Every structure is written in C-alpha cells, then in structure tokens.
Amino acid sequence: MKAFVVDKYNKKGLLRLAEMPEPQLQDSDVLVEVHAAGVNLLDSKVRTGEFKLILPYRRPFILGHDVAGKVIRVGSKVRKFKAGDDVYARPRDGRIGTFAEFIAMDEADVALKPENLSMEEAASIPLVGLTAWQTLIDRANLKKGQKVFIQAGSGGVGTFAIQLAKHLGATVATTASASSADLVKSLGADVVVDYRQEDFEKVLSGYDVVLNSQDAKTLEKSLSVLKPGGKLISISGPPDSEFAREKGLNFMLRLVLRFLSRGIWAKAKRRAVQFSFLLMWAQGDQLSKITSLIESGAIRPVLDRVFPFEATNEALAYVETGRAKGKVVIKVR
C-alpha cells in the first residue's frame, strides 16, 4: 500500500511516499480502508522528534492521527464492527499511521462515523473532538454557568471546544484575529479577544477554566485569567510529573518532566489554581458520544481545506503556518 512515512526526525524534512506492507490484523483489530485523514499540529511535532522521548517510534513509521474510512476485515475477537461499516477514529499512540491506504486499529479506539458527515468531515473530528472532551469534561468537569477561556478559537481544537463548551452551558471566551471573529461567534463564543490588538490577560478575569494551546509565555499569562480554585489545562506542554506517572515513563524521564514543569506548578500554587498537562488518548466510547452530538446538530465540523493524498506534505506545511481556520484534511480515496 502507499503511505507517507517518517524516515528520520528533521524539522525541515519531508515525509516520503513509500510502498509499505498492508497492516497485519490482530484478534481485536479492525482493518480500515482509509478514505480521509485529518492533519494535526501533533503530526508535525511527532515528525520533528519533539515528542520522541514520550512517544517513541521505530523509523521508518507511517504518520497520521485521524482517520475516516470503511471496515474491510475484522479480527476474531471483534464484536462491535463488521466489514462494510463506515467508521472514524484516532488510533492509539504506538499504532498511528493514517496517512496510508489502510490501517489496522484496536476496535476500542474506533466509532461508527456520524451519518450526517462526509468522510472528509468525519476525519477532521477524532483528535480535536477527544482533546476537547477530555479537557472540558474529564479534566475540568465544566458545568453550566461556568466561564471557560479557550485559546485560538479558530483552530482545530478551538472550533470544536467552543461548541462543546456552549453545549455544556458555559460562557466562552476565546482569542482570534478580526477576520476570524465572525466564525468563532457563529460557533458560540460569547467574548472574542483580538489577539493582535488586545492582551487577553488584561481583558479577562474570574474564569473557572482555561484551555491553553499556545506557548509557555501564554501559559503563564493564563494564570491571571483564573479565579482561585480555577483550572489551567494545557495541551501544549510542558508535560508534568503526573503525566509521566500515568504514562509509566522511567524515573529519569519523570525527573526531567518535573524539572521542566516546576516553574508553572509553583506559579499556579501561589495563585491557588490547579495546573495540569493533557495529551489526549484514543477512546472509541467517547468518540461514540461525540457522534451523537454531531448527529443531533449540537456540534458541526469546521474544515479549512481538503488536500489530495499526493499533497500530504503540502497539507502538513499548511497546518504548520498556523493560519488554518478549523481542520485540514487529506482525501485518500
């Protein structure tokens, strides 16, 4: 099968279009014919080696973390799916590889595709949808009437998280450029801060939750937005020691991550707020709940561009510019 692979970690290197063996099917796996794959900033970070200590892959490996397609074969222990089912998923770490014509995934990571979405629309959902769900519901326990600040509202995670937060009954603030203000308002944002004209930390205060997706400087500024007892949840680092413990990382890595995150932990403690790092995980049951929200009309996908499979490198480069509004997807077939 054709696939785009990482041969070596390189910030300027391109993915190589290669002929790779069709994935082997394990007893609990579904083999999926890939129709579309979402492109995420995580793909870029994995390609450059930024996460190689916590997400080690043996090169060459196939990149890609979002998929929508059709089940063509199932393992002997699979009970949820059958050949012919249209599905979507974020395959678990260690088994990524959606930039390919086929992928084998554990059935626990997979959900039936929303009936009202195309393959391209469905492929845009899993990673950002699960990130928003695990941040706002699992980690923040966001409630009706609370206030949440979601950074970069026009991005992939932002466009989904705004809609989910509004569905939960929260008041939502976000940052966006003037050209993206109408988009984020249409998704449910109540307060839009033009990051080119205003400093969000001077405009916002008394928030219950912040979803940080930006750099370390923005992470620190986010502390001042929260009220005492508020929660700062970051999806862009630095990973903390609790994350290292959950992932079962070795003692030395735990020490390194504790060192890297000690500054933000100390500042959060002084302000009486909670800080945590979240790297989303594959979860088919949660994705099924997201399917229900999409089919009910509570959440809609936001697509910026769809690239042909052959232009996967161009799609990844476009995501790296940070200019995409919503998600970028590659159409495989």
Side-chain angles (χ1 to χ4, degrees):
M1 68 174 184
K2 289 184 172 62
F4 279 91
V5 304
V6 176
D7 287 312
K8 62 180 179 178
Y9 294 126
N10 190 325
K11 289 188 176 182
K12 296 182 179 180
L14 298 176
L15 303 177
R16 176 171 60 91
L17 181 58
E19 283 290 338
M20 299 292 283
E22 186 175 300
Q24 292 187 342
L25 199 65
Q26 299 177 21
D27 289 345
S28 297
D29 286 354
V30 294
L31 182 64
V32 174
E33 177 186 73
V34 179
H35 285 231
V39 184
N40 300 281
L41 197 55
L42 178 60
D43 296 309
S44 175
K45 292 181 177 182
V46 170
R47 176 181 62 83
T48 62
E50 185 174 333
F51 283 170
K52 64 184 178 182
L53 291 179
I54 59 176
L55 294 175
Y57 288 101
R58 185 177 178 180
R59 292 159 287 170
F61 63 91
I62 304 170
L63 196 60
H65 292 79
D66 272 326
V67 64
K70 189 177 292 290
V71 176
I72 58 172
R73 196 160 66 248
V74 302
S76 60
K77 295 182 179 179
V78 171
R79 298 293 179 264
K80 294 182 180 179
F81 305 99
K82 64 183 185 304
D85 284 343
D86 289 340
V87 297
Y88 69 153
R90 191 289 205 193
R92 65 187 57 184
D93 293 328
R95 299 195 66 187
I96 64 170
T98 64
F99 296 168
E101 294 181 308
F102 300 95
I103 185 171
M105 299 175 287
D106 192 294
E107 70 166 337
D109 302 345
V110 181
L112 292 174
K113 180 184 76 67
E115 293 184 357
N116 57 335
L117 297 189
S118 67
M119 287 290 188
E120 292 79 22
E121 290 171 327
S124 75
I125 295 292
L127 186 142
V128 298
L130 289 169
T131 299
W133 185 282
Q134 291 164 13
T135 301
L136 300 180
I137 295 178
D138 289 352
R139 188 69 59 87
N141 194 26
L142 188 66
K143 301 293 186 184
K144 183 177 180 180
Q146 289 189 312
K147 296 165 61 177
V148 58
F149 171 40
I150 297 166
Q151 296 166 4
S154 65
V157 172
T159 52
F160 194 100
I162 289 170
Q163 296 179 83
L164 180 59
K166 289 305 294 183
H167 174 73
L168 295 171
T171 296
V172 180
T174 192
T175 47
S177 65
S179 62
S180 298
D182 288 343
L183 169 62
V184 296
K185 287 177 182 177
S186 74
L187 298 173
D190 300 288
V191 179
V192 182
V193 179
D194 183 347
Y195 66 87
R196 291 174 177 166
Q197 301 294 328
E198 300 174 291
D199 296 323
F200 70 81
E201 72 275 17
K202 296 178 182 178
V203 178
L204 307 176
S205 63
Y207 276 70
D208 299 280
V209 177
V210 174
L211 195 172
N212 175 74
S213 58
Q214 305 302 298
D215 58 19
K217 185 177 180 181
T218 304
L219 177 66
E220 186 172 332
K221 287 180 178 180
S222 298
L223 291 169
S224 64
V225 170
L226 289 160
K227 67 183 185 183
K231 298 176 181 178
L232 171 56
I233 304 166
S234 181
I235 61 172
S236 64
D240 57 13
S241 56
E242 179 64 19
F243 166 81
R245 186 190 64 78
E246 291 174 354
K247 288 290 184 182
L249 301 182
N250 66 48
F251 178 72
M252 287 305 298
L253 273 178
R254 292 187 193 187
L255 282 181
V256 169
L257 295 185
R258 183 185 294 250
F259 176 80
L260 291 174
S261 62
R262 76 192 190 289
I264 190 66
W265 267 101
K267 289 169 183 169
K269 187 176 182 180
R270 285 198 294 270
R271 287 184 171 269
V273 302
Q274 300 174 40
F275 166 74
S276 61
F277 170 80
L278 184 139
L279 182 64
M280 61 78 56
W281 61 92
Q283 232 291 349
D285 288 343
Q286 289 180 350
L287 200 52
S288 293
K289 294 175 182 176
I290 289 170
T291 298
S292 297
L293 292 179
I294 293 170
E295 290 181 340
S296 73
I299 293 178
R300 63 179 174 88
V302 179
L303 261 64
D304 183 295
R305 291 181 63 180
V306 177
F307 287 78
F309 182 52
E310 296 75 16
T312 294
N313 277 304
E314 289 86 342
L316 190 56
Y318 181 58
V319 168
E320 290 169 344
T321 67
R323 294 196 297 266
K325 296 179 181 180
K327 285 295 296 290
V328 174
V329 172
I330 57 173
K331 181 178 175 64
V332 180
R333 54 168 54 81

